[in-house]
Amino acid sequence: MANKLMILLVSLALVLAAAAATTTHLRFYMHDIVTASPPSYPAATALRAVKGMTPLPNDPTNRFGDTYVIDDSLTEGPEGDSRLVGRAQGYYMFASMTEASLLLSANMVFTAAAGKNYNGSAVAVLARDSILDTVRELPVVGGTGAFRGATGYGLLRTHSFNASSNNAVLQIDMYVQV
Ligand SMILES: *[C@@H]1O[C@H](CO)[C@@H](O)[C@H](O)[C@H]1NC(C)=O
Ligand SMILES: *[C@@H]1O[C@H](CO)[C@@H](O)[C@H](O)[C@H]1NC(C)=O
């Protein structure tokens, strides 16, 4: 009986060790550029594709339904000219009638600069992004290439936001298991 329990505990420890060993932590910055601002940001990478009808009660500049299609750059550091490690391709939509809360649906597509095996590999996220919260969680719903079948999550924090241009730099920590 004691032996069986021991074997069970050892197996459990091995399973936990194996699961922990495959977690990859990637930190990068996402540049959500609504207004081009040369020289750092020569072009907008977040374009409003759908204009909603109902202004948000506490934020009349945004409307329920506003949808931005994005091809945002992902870089190693927060500066605009920091080394490119990938792009966030997808969209975000104002999905709450009462709060500044987005549905963010995107593929984080990496270049070799993110890691030599990651060139062209993507992590897919589907998230509720309440933009005024300090930390938002990004559930990983899958991946391709080196990230095929990925699970995990990301933590999204606003690094900087310019209220006149609506440009934001977001810090993302991804914890991905394959
Ligand atoms: C990354 O992939 C692209 C597109 O397939 C290719 O052109 C490029 O040479 C690759 N870079 C490296 C460093 O493997
Ligand atoms: C904020 O955006 C405005 C409008 O694009 C720009 O003139 C200003 O320099 C920006 N501020 C900072 C701190 O980047």
Side-chain angles (χ1 to χ4, degrees):
M1 188 62 197
N3 274 349
K4 274 192 184 153
L5 185 61
M6 197 59 165
I7 289 167
L8 185 67
L9 288 177
V10 168
S11 324
L12 193 59
L14 287 175
V15 167
L16 291 175
T22 57
T23 299
T24 303
H25 175 202
L26 296 169
R27 169 174 287 185
F28 49 84
Y29 293 82
M30 173 170 155
H31 302 256
D32 192 54
I33 306 305
V34 174
T35 311
S37 151
S40 303
Y41 301 112
T45 58
L47 306 174
R48 190 170 62 192
V50 175
K51 187 174 177 181
M53 298 297 284
T54 316
L56 297 182
N58 300 318
D59 180 8
T61 57
N62 291 309
R63 297 173 163 80
F64 175 57
D66 277 353
T67 301
Y68 290 76
V69 59
I70 60 170
D71 187 5
D72 288 350
S73 60
L74 303 175
T75 61
E76 208 167 60
E79 306 79 22
D81 60 357
S82 175
R83 188 156 78 127
L84 192 75
V85 296
R87 308 203 71 86
Q89 298 175 334
Y91 68 89
Y92 55 81
M93 172 192 287
F94 283 79
S96 166
M97 297 182 82
T98 54
E99 297 165 44
S101 187
L102 312 177
L103 165 67
L104 168 65
S105 175
N107 282 300
M108 309 284 180
V109 191
F110 297 100
T111 66
K116 61 175 167 32
N117 299 324
Y118 298 157
N119 196 24
S121 295
V123 172
V125 300
L126 183 66
R128 175 167 191 259
D129 177 6
S130 294
I131 57 184
L132 300 178
D133 288 0
T134 311
V135 183
R136 290 88 84 184
E137 208 173 315
L138 307 177
V140 169
V141 294
T144 64
F147 299 114
R148 183 184 291 168
T151 57
Y153 64 99
L155 299 177
L156 176 78
R157 295 176 172 87
T158 302
H159 178 267
S160 61
F161 175 66
N162 181 329
S164 50
S165 63
N166 272 327
N167 294 344
V169 178
L170 308 149
Q171 178 190 295
I172 300 179
D173 283 287
M174 295 297 305
Y175 299 91
V176 183
Q177 282 115 308
V178 286

